[in-house]
Amino acid sequence: MIKIIKTIAVVLLLGSLNLSAQVKVPVYLDDTKSIQERVEDALSRMTVEEKVGMVHAQSKFSSAGVPRLGIPEIWMSDGPHGVRPEVLWDEWSQAGWTNDSCFAFPALTCLAATWNKDISLLYGKSVGEEARFRNKTVLLGPGVNIYRTPLNGRNFEYMGEDPYLSSKMVVPYIKGVQSNGVATCVKHFALNNQEVDRDKVNVNVDDRALYEIYLPAFKAAVQEGGTWAIMGSYNLYKNEQCCHNQYLLNDILRKEWGFEGVVISDWGGAHNTLQSISNGLDMEYGTWAPGMAWGKTNNYDNYFLAKPYLAMIKSGEIGTKELDEKVRRILRLEFLTNMNKNRPFGAMVSEDHVLAGRKIAEEGIVLLQNKNNVLPIDLSKTKRIAVIGENAIKMMTVGGGSSSLKAKYEVSPLDGLKKRAGAQTEIIYARGYVGDASSEADGYSTGQDLKETRSADELIAEACNVAKNADYVIFVGGLNKSEHQDSEGADRLGLGLPYSQDKLISELAKVNKNLVVVSISGNAVAMPWVNEVPAIIQGWFLGSEAGNAIAAVLVGDVNPSGKLPFTFPVKLEDNGAIALGEYPGSNGQVTYNEGIFVGYRWNEKQKIKPLFSFGYGLSYTTFEYGKVTSDKKEIADSDKITFTVSIKNTGAREGSEIVQLYISDLKSSLPRPVKELKGFEKVSLKAGEEKAVSITIDKAALSYFDPDKHSWVAEPGDFEASIGSSSSDIKGKVAFKLK
Ligand code: GLC
């Protein structure tokens, strides 16, 4: 009996111990507690060495957690269009893993060209799933730097020239990525609008242009998107590195916008310990620290926020107030990501990602010209199509800098067309020109052998010979991801197409009237042959599904609905930054003399007709706009006003139209653009279908930034709403007043 009682007593004791063991979960590991409580508890358990260990990198793309407390390391990866292949611990070179081939999504100019917020959510969710599956804490993207000149090598990674479009398109992307428990890191904050001298140029810009043009997309990313991280940019502002910049990081990002996330330096963007401590930098990455050499291991202790910082603390020269602030934000990031038990598990190159990637590509392609309805091509009546141009075969997911990918696959335009045409139509290819025969980046090779020995004239002759006997000629050219093209680290050297493509296009136009030019690029290009070529398509860097999407549009499986997120100038001098200077600046200074007059804002101020305007894009069907009306004739402070217009599909097939709302302040005490984009709606209509489209705005849409008051001001008076299918094709206007 006693034995039984003893046993029961032991069991009860163990049970109570066990119970008490459960109750003993430390607060920071207890997800019934608030993140705030968990942060404070974790912080209180950390040594100063552990705290310093979290604020700087330990490898090329990771920083320390707290092993002793079970707080995971933080792993980052590029990039905005897909998850970068693993690199070596200390170097940019590929690590040679065999499990890190990703799905390559279209570049963000293509996403912007969809003008479709739902597509942006789909994009973010999908690329976030790939980052999650690869166990990344932070995805280093999206980039939202404004398209100031057509020469910026990285425009392809961003969302165009208009702050409103970029602001609306970046928010769903962020929410999509972060729904996977992966942080976005919106970049590059701020004023990184050129690659020339990017790490040393100090940008001089007036407050109106800063607040009205260059900051809005970042502000939306913080206040509407809730991004958990922001990346400082390489350049300087007010002569301080943007990665540790009192004005941008403390005054604007944190004080004015209430940002609670982490600020991560661009790789090598930190240059100073004291400023990194006090000017808002939380995580120092990629520093070319003293003594750093290619592949030198464990130089991370020499980072500005590593040993030097610890030494200052140990010597009493500085306290741990700033350090604790940094670590609080990093711990918050941990609880939102790595230590969030409820986050999903992601996926890589899933069927859903393939479908998403193709849909984004198809919706972003822009039909710029289609004289005599050359397009779409009716394959049932087409015996032979000639495909000409290096970009019909060249892989575009490799190269371009940090956004370069190791894609599981990439369908080239030629392959996409061949697959779509099947046996019924013969597809013949000719190179036409040689652009960049190289095929590797960071030690990763595309496996393509693009070497060519024939001369340019021989290539043109062959192309014309192939073209003259075909029913259609599809020229696929444009730019590529090589240096001085669409690539990080250098800017383009001119607006024109490289590799003598203009000459080839004119020759092709002479031998076949059914010529279609597909320009693959992330930037505007000059088109001297625009009147010789019946059909022109702006095909972006479209990722893994590129060829399938281009083929689908060319043969009419898909009705193109994309619209340009930036202006195509006729010539370089038509661009404000180029006309007024400075670009790219000199002696480490660049001044944005054009101020707020960027893109169509400049063209309309100067009455310069663009080649193709902001917001422009055609369809295989036609749309008719009815009268524009508004629900009010005047609004007071807190009112909203709604503009309505009926849209009818007057063509023979379904199509989508992007209805754009621009606002003009007819009389203002400060200079303002002729009009500014303040709303858009994408509407799908069956043949013959008619719908009413409404767009509502409030006083914010009427405001400008008053630098003296340092606040947004909407001046009472007369305004005008313009509804259009592009910035230069206004269908109707309505006058209204702000009381
Ligand atoms: C690069 C880029 C940045 C990228 C980072 C890591 O230099 O500027 O966009 O995320 O370094 O590759």
Side-chain angles (χ1 to χ4, degrees):
M1 182 59 182
I2 292 173
K3 206 166 161 20
I4 291 169
I5 290 167
K6 271 187 181 170
T7 311
I8 290 167
V10 166
V11 166
L12 284 175
L13 180 67
L14 279 179
S16 69
L17 265 182
N18 195 356
L19 202 65
S20 64
Q22 272 162 7
V23 170
K24 274 275 167 295
V25 167
V27 167
Y28 77 96
L29 291 178
D30 177 352
D31 49 14
T32 65
K33 297 282 187 281
S34 74
I35 283 190
Q36 190 53 37
E37 289 171 286
R38 296 174 70 184
V39 164
E40 292 309 320
D41 181 48
L43 188 72
S44 69
R45 297 167 187 265
M46 289 169 68
T47 66
V48 67
E49 287 78 6
E50 288 166 338
K51 293 176 186 175
V52 169
M54 288 193 102
V55 299
H56 65 84
Q58 68 174 3
S59 78
K60 186 57 86 186
F61 281 99
S62 74
S63 45
V66 188
R68 179 176 63 83
L69 297 175
I71 295 175
E73 297 176 338
I74 287 185
W75 280 85
M76 317 222 171
S77 173
D78 291 311
H81 314 145
V83 187
R84 182 173 185 162
E86 288 303 315
V87 299
L88 296 176
W89 187 260
D90 292 319
E91 297 180 45
W92 296 110
S93 306
Q94 307 279 309
W97 288 16
T98 55
N99 63 346
D100 57 352
S101 297
C102 69
F103 182 81
F105 293 88
L108 293 192
T109 35
C110 175
L111 172 59
T114 69
W115 294 58
N116 185 331
K117 294 168 230 174
D118 296 335
I119 286 282
S120 180
L121 182 65
L122 173 66
Y123 191 132
K125 176 182 177 295
S126 307
V127 72
E129 283 175 352
E130 302 243 337
R132 173 71 192 94
F133 186 82
R134 289 274 304 285
N135 288 314
K136 301 304 175 184
T137 316
V138 182
L139 182 66
L140 300 170
V144 288
N145 292 103
I146 288 293
Y147 187 111
R148 178 179 178 245
T149 86
L151 301 182
N152 178 17
R154 292 188 85 172
N155 279 331
F156 74 97
E157 288 190 54
Y158 306 144
M159 296 190 180
E161 74 187 29
D162 183 85
Y164 181 85
L165 178 63
S166 299
S167 301
K168 291 301 165 195
M169 293 302 286
V170 73
V171 167
Y173 178 109
I174 293 165
K175 291 191 179 303
V177 170
Q178 297 190 158
S179 68
N180 292 283
V182 173
T184 48
C185 180
V186 181
K187 65 190 187 182
H188 306 81
F189 190 67
L191 299 164
N192 180 190
N193 306 100
Q194 65 188 55
E195 290 298 291
V196 175
D197 293 338
R198 67 174 176 171
D199 56 352
K200 55 174 94 57
V201 72
N202 178 57
V203 176
N204 303 298
V205 63
D206 62 75
D207 274 1
R208 286 199 67 201
L210 178 67
Y211 277 85
E212 292 187 30
I213 302 296
Y214 297 102
L215 291 183
F218 290 102
K219 182 177 183 184
V222 167
Q223 295 190 334
E224 297 166 51
T227 183
W228 297 335
I230 285 263
M231 185 188 294
S233 59
Y234 279 127
N235 53 288
L236 292 85
Y237 171 63
K238 290 187 188 287
N239 292 307
E240 265 181 16
Q241 299 284 158
C242 292
C243 288
H244 35 78
N245 189 296
Q246 172 64 26
Y247 309 94
L248 291 175
L249 303 181
N250 286 346
D251 298 348
I252 296 174
L253 186 62
R254 294 218 167 88
K255 283 198 201 96
E256 289 183 23
W257 298 349
F259 180 59
E260 297 177 323
V262 297
V263 172
I264 301 167
S265 74
D266 199 338
W267 267 239
H271 298 270
N272 173 305
T273 292
L274 275 177
Q275 284 193 20
S276 295
I277 294 168
S278 53
N279 288 1
L281 178 63
D282 296 312
M283 304 179 88
E284 175 190 0
Y285 270 79
T287 298
W288 195 260
M292 186 69 155
W294 283 111
K296 181 171 168 48
T297 50
N298 199 23
N299 200 44
Y300 304 96
D301 292 342
N302 298 327
Y303 272 37
F304 296 105
L305 288 180
K307 272 185 180 158
Y309 190 16
L310 188 59
M312 290 172 75
I313 292 171
K314 293 281 186 193
S315 69
E317 198 178 335
I318 195 164
T320 61
K321 178 171 147 302
E322 296 85 358
L323 178 62
D324 287 348
E325 270 316 298
K326 296 178 198 301
V327 174
R328 281 192 178 90
R329 290 189 280 264
I330 299 169
L331 287 169
R332 175 178 178 272
L333 175 66
E334 291 274 16
F335 291 123
L336 289 166
T337 57
N338 300 333
M339 298 174 80
N340 164 7
K341 292 195 192 95
N342 306 317
R343 59 181 183 154
F345 298 100
M348 259 181 100
V349 200
S350 63
E351 266 314 296
D352 289 348
H353 295 176
V354 170
L355 292 174
R358 176 153 179 182
K359 185 160 178 47
I360 298 158
E362 289 173 349
E363 273 215 38
I365 288 171
V366 182
L367 178 59
L368 293 175
Q369 191 158 279
N370 191 20
K371 290 178 182 162
N372 333 315
N373 288 328
V374 160
L375 290 175
I377 295 171
D378 180 346
L379 286 175
S380 66
K381 297 179 187 137
T382 306
K383 283 200 303 300
R384 180 177 305 138
I385 297 177
V387 177
I388 314 287
E390 183 175 280
N391 280 3
I393 60 171
K394 184 174 176 61
M395 282 180 72
M396 294 291 184
T397 54
V398 174
S402 56
S403 63
S404 178
L405 297 172
K406 176 164 76 172
K408 191 88 173 178
Y409 70 92
E410 179 181 353
V411 180
S412 70
L414 178 62
D415 289 345
L417 262 169
K418 279 182 176 170
K419 192 166 76 173
R420 181 60 187 81
Q424 64 181 327
T425 304
E426 184 190 9
I427 306 283
I428 308 181
Y429 175 70
R431 180 78 171 263
Y433 72 92
V434 177
D436 179 345
S438 72
S439 52
E440 73 89 48
D442 295 330
Y444 168 65
S445 166
T446 62
Q448 291 190 303
D449 177 4
L450 299 178
K451 277 192 290 304
E452 177 60 65
T453 53
R454 289 170 294 174
S455 72
D457 288 345
E458 285 171 322
L459 288 168
I460 292 176
E462 180 205 33
C464 291
N465 191 35
V466 161
K468 69 173 185 287
N469 307 318
D471 300 314
Y472 288 91
V473 180
I474 314 286
F475 174 79
V476 186
L479 306 178
N480 57 35
K481 298 289 190 71
S482 309
E483 194 180 23
H484 296 304
Q485 301 295 324
D486 282 324
S487 176
E488 176 178 343
D491 283 350
R492 291 169 62 204
L493 302 171
L495 185 63
L497 284 175
Y499 318 127
S500 311
Q501 293 175 69
D502 292 338
K503 177 165 180 268
L504 171 57
I505 291 168
S506 294
E507 291 305 314
L508 291 172
K510 287 175 194 155
V511 300
N512 196 312
K513 66 182 184 335
N514 285 343
L515 172 61
V516 180
V517 168
V518 179
S519 178
I520 305 291
S521 78
N523 250 316
V525 295
M527 298 182 180
W529 32 264
V530 67
N531 296 321
E532 302 161 44
V533 173
I536 304 170
I537 279 182
Q538 172 59 29
W540 312 100
F541 297 113
L542 298 168
S544 291
E545 281 291 311
N548 291 335
I550 290 172
V553 167
L554 286 171
V555 303
D557 295 344
V558 165
N559 186 358
S561 62
K563 301 235 177 192
L564 293 178
F566 52 76
T567 304
F568 272 56
V570 172
K571 56 188 189 309
L572 197 52
E573 302 66 43
D574 290 352
N575 169 276
I578 305 291
L580 289 188
E582 293 166 334
Y583 165 80
S586 55
N587 308 320
Q589 298 290 333
V590 66
T591 302
Y592 290 10
N593 292 314
E594 75 282 4
I596 58 175
F597 298 100
V598 173
Y600 66 91
R601 291 168 166 85
W602 170 260
N603 285 67
E604 295 180 357
K605 174 177 184 287
Q606 302 296 103
K607 297 187 173 43
I608 298 173
K609 191 174 177 316
L611 176 64
F612 296 110
S613 64
F614 173 79
Y616 176 82
L618 298 175
S619 169
Y620 290 147
T621 185
T622 49
F623 299 101
E624 198 172 273
Y625 282 64
K627 195 170 171 339
V628 181
T629 59
S630 67
D631 63 347
K632 299 184 178 77
K633 278 294 165 228
E634 66 174 25
I635 62 171
D637 249 15
S638 56
D639 287 351
K640 294 181 186 300
I641 182 168
T642 298
F643 302 97
T644 302
V645 64
S646 69
I647 312 278
K648 182 173 184 177
N649 179 342
T650 48
R653 62 173 293 168
E654 184 276 339
S656 293
E657 169 68 338
I658 298 162
V659 180
Q660 299 155 45
L661 169 69
Y662 295 86
I663 297 294
S664 306
D665 185 349
L666 300 182
K667 190 172 175 307
S668 59
S669 50
L670 290 179
R672 296 195 71 179
V674 169
K675 64 177 187 290
E676 300 179 282
L677 181 75
K678 296 295 178 185
F680 61 87
E681 282 301 324
K682 188 163 198 172
V683 59
S684 170
L685 295 166
K686 293 183 180 51
E689 189 180 6
E690 182 166 8
K691 274 182 192 167
V693 173
S694 291
I695 301 176
T696 299
I697 60 166
D698 61 16
K699 195 176 83 168
L702 312 182
S703 306
Y704 65 84
F705 186 79
D706 183 320
D708 300 333
K709 298 191 179 89
H710 197 77
S711 69
W712 289 86
V713 167
E715 276 181 323
D718 295 327
F719 288 82
E720 186 176 68
S722 300
I723 292 266
S725 70
S726 82
S727 60
S728 60
D729 184 1
I730 298 303
K731 304 292 187 182
K733 295 182 177 184
V734 170
F736 65 100
K737 284 183 186 312
L738 172 65
K739 266 195 297 213

